[in-house]
Amino acid sequence: ESFTIIFLPFVKPFAALIRRLLPDKAHKVVEGAQYLDPKLIEATPGIAVEAVKNECAYMGFLVIHLLDSVQEVFFNDKKDLIPKIEETEAKIDQLHKAVKAYAEDIMQAGISDDAARVLTLYVASSGNIERIGDYAVNIQEKAVELYEKEASFSDIAKNELKLLDSALEQILTRTNDAFENDDIALARQVEPLEEVIDILVEKLRDGHIKRLKDGICSIDTGVVFLDVLNNVERISDHCSNAAFTVVDFENIVAAHSN
């Protein structure tokens, strides 16, 4: 079993590293967490590490649905979904704080060296997911900005963004599935997809700048289009970072088994 590493004799050499990443004071788990039960820390801190992983996977589930709602606002003018988007993004932020607080409590309870490494990866993943949520909301805000200016994209720009949106859905889904299932093969598919998205973003950026120069698109739509590309690129980068934690986790397991 991959998590047998958690049940090694308890030592604390990585506590200092964790505490540099996390706040120093003790925290209570915030309302809304699905898996972060304080009783797990009291009973078996190693099992609590698995709870952190599950909470991160739940955050990933939320961010995928957040992006679905953002897409509806952006492409189908479903502005009635904005309150739901804001609520979901706030919940993701809250869960990220809860994960950090819970992780600190686990470290204070005492866990093995390898479990501390794994916990560090999960805290980093939580941060990546939280940032993805922020960038998704930025895209929604750009849609509202466009609406308020009574501007719209050209058909070419809309089709390009829908193509990019499809790639974004794929990388998010693969990242979350890889993380949730410890699927290293799927995790290794994320970075090549991230590189494809980077190339696509660069081509779309160049094409849109040309349309701006040729007067096909307005300055207002041009700025929004380029801002959306930047946010998509950042989401893709954070997906790649999160997928790397799966690979790193498997490396820890492999090193322990040798």
Side-chain angles (χ1 to χ4, degrees), residues 158-170:
K158 287 178 183 176
N159 290 334
E160 288 177 344
L161 288 175
K162 285 180 179 178
L163 175 64
L164 194 58
D165 178 63
S166 176
L168 197 57
E169 279 187 25
Q170 286 188 48

Side-chain angles (χ1 to χ4, degrees), residues 30-141:
V30 299
E31 185 178 353
Q34 301 294 301
Y35 300 98
L36 306 182
D37 186 346
K39 293 180 181 178
L40 287 177
I41 300 176
E42 296 172 12
T44 313
I47 296 295
V49 176
E50 179 79 354
V52 173
K53 177 200 171 182
N54 291 337
E55 200 68 46
C56 290
Y58 176 61
M59 289 174 65
F61 168 82
L62 289 177
V63 88
I64 288 172
H65 283 270
L66 172 66
L67 188 66
D68 287 342
S69 296
V70 168
Q71 291 163 350
E72 287 296 318
V73 174
F74 198 90
F75 292 113
N76 301 319
D77 201 26
K78 297 283 186 68
K79 289 187 291 297
D80 58 305
L81 291 176
I82 290 176
K84 177 186 174 184
I85 290 170
E86 293 173 345
E87 179 183 344
T88 303
E89 195 259 346
K91 185 172 185 178
I92 292 168
D93 288 348
Q94 185 183 43
L95 290 177
H96 176 50
K97 292 176 183 177
V99 163
K100 291 194 293 182
Y102 193 78
E104 181 187 11
D105 290 343
I106 294 172
M107 290 302 301
Q108 290 175 351
I111 55 175
S112 71
D113 191 341
D114 284 329
R117 289 176 182 267
V118 171
L119 184 58
T120 303
L121 296 178
Y122 292 160
V123 172
S125 292
S126 173
N128 281 305
I129 295 165
E130 188 266 340
R131 294 302 292 152
I132 289 170
D134 289 344
Y135 291 127
V137 170
N138 287 350
I139 293 173
Q140 171 252 301
E141 290 172 349

